[in-house]
Amino acid sequence: MSTETQAVEAEVKEREPLFSKKNRKLISNPLDADNPITVQVLGVCSALAVTVKLIPTLYMCISVLFVLIFSNVAISLLRNVIPGRIRIIVQLLVVASLVAVVDQVLQAFAYDVSKQLSVFVGLIITNCIIMGRLEAFALANKPGPAFLDAVGNGLGYAVILIPVAFFRELFGSGSLFGFNILGENYPGNGVMMSPVGACIVLGLLIWFQRSRNGYTEEA
Amino acid sequence: MKFLRDILDKVKPNFEKDGKLHFLHSTFDAIETFMFVPNHTTKRGAHIRDGIDLKRTMFIVIIALVPCLLFGMWNVGALHYAAQNIDSTLLENMLYGAMKVVPIIVVSYLTGLGIEFAFCQVNGHPVNEGFLVSGMLIPLIVPADIPLWMVIVATAFAVIIGKEVFGGTGMNILNPALTARVFLYIAYPVEMAGEIWVSGIKEGLVDAASGATALGVLGGKDLEAASNYSVNVMDAFMGFIPGSIGETSVLMCLIGAAILIVTGIGSWRIMLATVIGALGMGLILNAVGGNPYYDLPAYQHLLIGGFAFGAVFMATDPVSAAHTTTGKWIYGILIGVLTVLIRVFNPAYPEGIMFAILFMNVMAPLVDNYVVKANIKRRLNRVKA
C-alpha cells in the first residue's frame, strides 16, 4: 500500500497535469492580483494609445494575445539552446517576426482597423508585458505552463483595456462599437478622446481594484 | 433660533455613537456647525486656538469675491442689451445677469457639496468648508451662456479627480476651480471657444462679431485685425468687456485683493510676483518685437483676459501654492512669465493664466523642496565657518 502511493506521488511530480492548481493560478493571477497593467504597470503606453474606440482595442488585445502566446511557447521551447548573453536579441527576433505576421494579417483582412492602429501594431514588439513574460517566465519554464502564463497575461491585458475603451468610447464619442448610444446631439468629450482620459479611467480602475482586493504597494 | 436649536438637540442622540443614524453623523455635524458655533473643545494639553479657522478663511474669500460677482452679473446684462442696441437700466442689467448667473452658482454648489458630503460620509470624515470657495469660483470663470449640465460635469470632475482622490480639502495638488475650467476647455473645445462671450449669441439675438475678446483677436489668425486692434485701457480696467462672468473687471479684482491682503488670507507676495513676472516677460517681448501680440504694451497684459482674477484668487490658493516665502516669489514670477508666453506663443490656447497656474501648482512642491534644501545648506555653511 505505502509503496503504491509513493509511486503515484513520484509520477505526479514528474508529470504535473496541465491544469493543476498551480498552473490554473498562472491564468487567474494576471487577471486580478498580479495584473500586468494595473499592478505591474507594464504596457501602459499602448493602453493609453489604442483605447479611443472599442473595435481597434479588441483587435489590439487579440494581436497581443497571439504574439504573447506564440513567443512565450517558442522561447520556452528554445530556452535550453539560447545562449544567455544574446537572449534579448533572440527574444526580439521571435517577437518581431510574430508582430510582422500580425501586421500583415491585419492589413490584409482588417485594413481600416490596421490604419487606425497605425504604428501601435508595430510597437507591440516593444510592449513591456511581452518582454517581461519572456524574461521572467518563458526562459525558466516548460512550454505547457508558458502557454498558460501567456494566455493569462494576454487576458489580463484585455481585461483592463476593454473597460478603458468602453468608457472612453461611451463618454468620448457617445457610441459603443461604432453604434451611437447617447444620441446624435451628444457633444463628445475632448478629455476622454485624448490619452488624458485613458490615464484617468485607468487610475479609477486601479482605485476600484485596490479598494476591492486591498492590494497595497510595498514601500 | 431657539426653535432650530431645539430641533437639532432633539435629533442629535440618533447621530451619536451607538445611535441608529450614526453612519450619517458627518452630515449632521456639518448642518449643526453650519447653523451654530460649534462647541468643540480641545480634550487634553495646552493648545493655541486662533479665531481664524477654515470656515472664517473661506468666508473672507467669498466676501472678497462678491464685488467680482455683482459686477459680473451687471456686465452680463449690460453686454447683452448693448449688443442689441437696447437701452437698459442698471436694474434690468442686474436682473438679466442674475437670471444667467444664479442658476450656475446653485448648480455648482449642489453638485460639489453633494459629492463632498458623500465622500465624507463614506470615509467617516467631518464635512469641511473646502468647497465653499471653489463653488463660487467655478461660476465666475465660465461664460454666462454655458449649459448647466456642463457645469455639473466639470464640477464633479474637479471635486472627484482634482480633490477627493488626493484625500480631500488641503491635500489637492491642483486648484479645483481651475481644474473644472481646464476640463471644460479641453473636453468641450467647440462650446468653450469662439463667439460665446456675450450672452445671447446662441439665440441669434446678438451680432457674433461684437463678442470677440482681446485675447481672441490678438491670438487669432487674422494678423491685420490684430495689428489694427487696440485694447481700450479704461474699459479693460473697469471691466466693460466680454469675457467669463466674474473675471473681466480688474478694478473689482483689486478690491478683492485688498480684502484678502488686509485680512492676511491671500499672499501679497504671490500677487505681486505674478504681476512682476508678466510685466517682465511682456517688456522682453516688446523689446524683441515682431507681430502685434509681441508689441502689445506689457501693462495691457495685466488688464486683458483673466489675468487679474487668476493672480488674485487662483494663484494664491494656500493649498496648491508654494509655501515657503522665497518659493512664493519664484512661484508667482513663473506664473506671470508663463501666462504671457502661452498667450503669445501658443495661438491654440488664447488664455494663458489658467495653464500657467495649474502648471505651477504641480511645480510648487518642487520649488519648496529646493528652497528648503538651499536654506539647510546655507545654515550648515554658517555653522562650519
Side-chain angles (χ1 to χ4, degrees):
Chain A
M1 171 94 185
S2 63
T3 48
E4 246 180 54
T5 40
Q6 266 177 0
V8 171
E9 267 174 18
E11 205 178 83
V12 166
K13 254 177 201 159
E14 264 170 31
R15 294 202 49 180
E16 202 179 353
L18 190 59
F19 286 98
S20 69
K21 202 171 178 193
K22 197 176 104 215
N23 282 350
R24 279 204 301 267
K25 279 235 146 131
L26 290 177
I27 290 194
S28 64
N29 260 358
L31 293 183
D32 183 27
D34 199 18
N35 189 281
I37 296 183
T38 60
V39 178
Q40 297 174 24
V41 198
L42 296 175
V44 174
C45 10
S46 65
L48 303 189
V50 299
T51 49
V52 181
K53 295 266 161 71
L54 265 168
I55 292 175
T57 309
L58 277 180
Y59 276 91
M60 183 71 181
C61 290
I62 294 166
S63 310
V64 169
L65 188 63
F66 170 84
V67 174
L68 194 49
I69 289 173
F70 279 87
S71 60
N72 230 16
V73 172
I75 294 293
S76 176
L77 285 170
L78 292 170
R79 69 185 187 281
N80 293 326
V81 290
I82 302 175
R85 293 171 70 183
I86 60 160
R87 64 181 196 285
I88 301 277
I89 295 175
V90 176
Q91 287 165 16
L92 267 183
L93 205 64
V94 171
V95 177
S97 344
L98 285 164
V99 170
V101 171
V102 168
D103 194 22
Q104 294 300 313
V105 169
L106 280 183
Q107 281 185 29
F109 296 104
Y111 186 65
D112 288 344
V113 175
S114 160
K115 269 182 88 176
Q116 281 180 48
L117 287 173
S118 67
V119 295
F120 293 103
V121 178
L123 284 176
I124 295 176
I125 299 173
T126 58
N127 193 319
C128 315
I129 297 175
I130 295 176
M131 288 297 275
R133 287 338 289 168
L134 296 183
E135 275 286 293
F137 199 88
L139 275 176
N141 286 285
K142 289 181 181 164
F147 170 77
L148 295 177
D149 181 73
V151 172
N153 279 283
L155 292 179
Y157 179 77
V159 127
I160 299 301
L161 250 70
I162 290 170
V164 172
F166 175 86
F167 289 117
R168 279 185 78 187
E169 185 170 359
L170 184 62
F171 295 121
S173 34
S175 59
L176 286 177
F177 292 104
F179 294 110
N180 199 311
I181 300 281
L182 295 180
E184 292 297 327
N185 292 328
Y186 185 72
N189 185 323
V191 171
M192 282 296 166
M193 298 291 275
S194 73
V196 178
C199 203
I200 290 168
V201 175
L202 200 55
L204 292 175
L205 281 179
I206 292 178
W207 182 12
F208 171 72
Q209 187 194 16
R210 292 187 180 183
S211 68
R212 188 172 52 78
N213 67 9
Y215 172 87
T216 48
E217 205 86 24
E218 57 258 42
Chain B
M1 276 299 136
K2 183 82 175 63
F3 159 74
L4 263 177
R5 184 72 256 178
D6 285 347
I7 295 182
L8 284 174
D9 281 340
K10 203 173 155 197
V11 294
K12 194 167 187 174
N14 287 331
F15 296 97
E16 272 161 2
K17 259 208 175 102
D18 305 324
K20 56 189 164 181
L21 291 174
H22 178 63
F23 67 98
L24 284 173
H25 72 100
S26 310
T27 308
F28 178 80
D29 284 350
I31 293 169
E32 193 188 11
T33 56
F34 182 75
M35 296 188 191
F36 294 96
V37 177
N39 59 346
H40 300 161
T41 49
T42 20
K43 294 262 162 35
R44 85 174 70 125
H47 296 274
I48 297 173
R49 287 220 148 192
D50 196 349
I52 286 276
D53 58 357
L54 188 58
K55 194 181 310 192
R56 204 161 296 177
T57 311
M58 294 291 180
F59 262 107
I60 290 175
V61 182
I62 296 276
I63 291 168
L65 281 167
V66 167
C68 283
L69 174 68
L70 291 179
F71 182 85
M73 284 191 192
W74 176 83
N75 196 35
V76 168
L79 287 174
H80 175 74
Y81 288 118
Q84 296 178 77
N85 293 321
I86 298 174
D87 285 330
S88 57
T89 61
L90 178 85
L91 195 67
E92 280 171 339
N93 290 343
M94 283 303 276
L95 264 180
Y96 182 86
M99 259 166 49
K100 286 282 172 187
V101 178
V102 172
I104 302 179
I105 297 175
V106 171
V107 162
S108 147
Y109 271 121
L110 283 182
T111 317
L113 287 178
I115 294 171
E116 287 238 322
F117 270 68
F119 266 89
C120 290
Q121 210 66 81
V122 171
N123 294 338
H125 294 168
V127 177
N128 61 37
E129 295 80 5
F131 190 73
L132 275 184
V133 169
S134 305
M136 183 58 90
L137 284 173
I138 292 171
L140 292 182
I141 53 176
V142 295
D145 272 352
I146 187 174
L148 290 179
W149 66 265
M150 279 192 197
V151 180
I152 296 178
V153 175
T155 309
F157 179 86
V159 174
I160 296 174
I161 306 287
K163 201 158 94 175
E164 290 301 340
V165 295
F166 294 107
T169 307
M171 314 290 276
N172 44 314
I173 297 171
L174 301 172
N175 182 320
L178 273 182
T179 312
R181 187 64 178 84
V182 86
F183 174 83
L184 285 172
Y185 190 80
I186 293 178
Y188 306 109
V190 183
E191 287 82 356
M192 281 296 123
E195 312 288 355
I196 52 165
W197 302 108
V198 174
S199 174
I201 283 180
K202 274 222 179 99
E203 295 105 278
L205 291 172
V206 172
D207 174 24
S210 63
T213 61
L215 293 171
V217 177
L218 285 164
K221 290 199 181 72
D222 189 352
L223 272 184
E224 203 181 333
S227 59
N228 291 332
Y229 188 83
S230 69
V231 177
N232 184 333
V233 174
M234 204 53 208
D235 277 3
F237 180 74
M238 295 301 291
F240 307 134
I241 50 172
S244 297
I245 293 169
E247 47 138 53
T248 55
S249 172
V250 178
L251 179 64
M252 298 301 150
C253 292
L254 284 178
I255 296 174
I259 297 175
L260 290 183
I261 291 171
V262 167
T263 54
I265 299 228
S267 160
W268 61 270
R269 289 187 183 89
I270 293 179
M271 297 183 203
L272 184 61
T274 311
V275 169
I276 292 172
L279 272 181
M281 197 62 223
L283 287 173
I284 293 174
L285 289 178
N286 286 350
V288 176
N291 74 23
Y293 218 159
Y294 283 53
D295 292 333
L296 184 74
Y299 74 92
Q300 292 186 5
H301 271 295
L302 309 181
L303 303 178
I304 59 176
F307 181 88
F309 193 83
V312 171
F313 294 108
M314 299 292 189
T316 55
D317 173 6
V319 177
S320 53
H323 291 249
T324 52
T325 308
T326 321
K328 281 178 180 163
W329 285 107
I330 301 173
Y331 166 87
I333 286 176
L334 283 177
I335 287 179
V337 169
L338 282 171
T339 304
V340 175
L341 277 182
I342 296 171
R343 277 182 181 178
V344 175
F345 287 111
N346 195 337
Y349 299 126
E351 180 49 300
I353 185 94
M354 151 172 92
F355 291 103
I357 294 175
L358 285 174
F359 183 74
M360 286 314 294
N361 280 170
V362 176
M363 289 297 157
L366 188 71
V367 172
D368 278 343
N369 181 33
Y370 282 119
V371 169
V372 170
K373 272 193 178 157
N375 194 25
I376 292 173
K377 205 173 161 193
R378 200 171 54 244
R379 297 184 66 161
L380 272 181
N381 283 342
R382 202 161 59 202
V383 174
K384 277 182 206 150

